[in-house]
Structures are given as C-alpha cells and as structure tokens.
Amino acid sequence: MRLAHKRNIQLKLKKTIKATKATTEKTVKTVKPKAEKVVTKTKTVAAKVEKVATAAVEAAVEASKDVKLTPKQQQVLDIVAVNSDGISPKNIGLEAGQEDSKAAAWATGGLKKLVEENLVVKETAGNKVIYKLV
C-alpha cells in the first residue's frame, strides 16, 4: 500500500513539473522578439550612460585605493558611483542582485565603512536616506 501511494504521488509530481516546463518555454519564446526591438532602440542611450558610469567608477576606484575594501564594500561603492544623483540602500541591494526583503540590510552593512572612510556621503531628507559619492 505504501509503495503504491508513493508511486502515485511521484507520478503526480512529474505531471506538474512537465506542465510548468511547457508554460515557461512558451513565455520565453514570446518575449524574445520584443526584447530585441527594445535593445536596438536603446543602444545609443546605453553607450552614453556607459561613458558617464565608467568615469564615475574610475573616480571611485581612485578614491578607494588608499582604503582596503572588501568585495562587498567595493561593489556597493561602484553602485553608488554609477548613480550620481544618489541612491537608497534598498535600491543598492536590488542592483546588486539581492532579494527585495533583504536588499536594504545587505547594503547597509557595506555602507557603514564607506561612510566612515568619507568615500560616501549620507543625506537624510525626512524619512528617506540617500547615499552619494563624495
């Protein structure tokens, strides 16, 4: 009885897995043509943004040469350098690829030393906190 029950459950699980694989393949095929059109339109804008971003990152790297940073702190510094108008800790974490619920806490750990070393400036406006490159 138990083996038969286990076999039935495994068959049901395989059916659901097969069904989800088929639906994801269909959605990927429909999204690709639209994405290619958008990419071709934004190539010139992306080139301009890359020039500004690389200049900001180079300035941040020069400033951080005196201070030894962990890879996490360096990644946070690079993200702040790219966003010259300021960025919140949650957005820093999201750009680094963290989950939505953990993004702010992840970034705050890296920002502490950067603020202490005067590489990043913390600005508070009401209840919003924004970090900018010095």
Side-chain angles (χ1 to χ4, degrees):
M1 183 73 173
R2 289 184 178 213
L3 289 175
H5 180 69
K6 184 177 177 181
R7 197 175 324 121
N8 289 336
I9 290 176
Q10 288 176 343
L11 289 173
K12 288 180 183 178
L13 288 173
K14 287 181 182 177
K15 287 180 182 176
T16 57
I17 291 172
K18 288 179 184 176
T20 56
K21 284 183 182 178
T23 57
T24 56
E25 289 174 2
K26 289 179 183 176
T27 57
V28 170
K29 290 178 183 176
T30 58
V31 173
K32 284 185 179 179
K34 292 179 183 177
E36 290 174 3
K37 291 178 185 176
V38 173
V39 169
T40 57
K41 291 180 182 177
T42 59
K43 284 185 180 179
T44 58
V45 175
K48 292 178 184 177
V49 170
E50 283 183 31
K51 289 179 183 177
V52 173
T54 54
V57 170
E58 289 174 3
V61 169
E62 289 177 14
S64 65
K65 285 183 180 178
D66 300 337
V67 181
K68 292 196 175 193
L69 300 175
T70 63
K72 178 180 176 179
Q73 292 167 346
Q74 186 63 46
Q75 184 179 11
V76 171
L77 182 64
D78 293 341
I79 292 171
V80 172
V82 170
N83 297 299
S84 60
D85 56 330
I87 187 167
S88 68
K90 183 174 183 177
N91 291 337
I92 292 171
L94 290 175
E95 285 191 30
Q98 297 297 315
E99 294 177 12
D100 190 37
S101 60
K102 299 178 183 178
W106 180 87
T108 304
L111 287 167
K112 285 182 181 178
K113 183 171 181 179
L114 297 176
V115 171
E116 289 175 4
E117 297 293 332
N118 295 324
L119 298 173
V120 175
V121 176
K122 178 179 178 180
E123 295 181 2
T124 307
N127 59 351
K128 294 185 178 183
V129 178
I130 296 175
Y131 291 90
K132 292 184 179 181
L133 195 60
V134 175

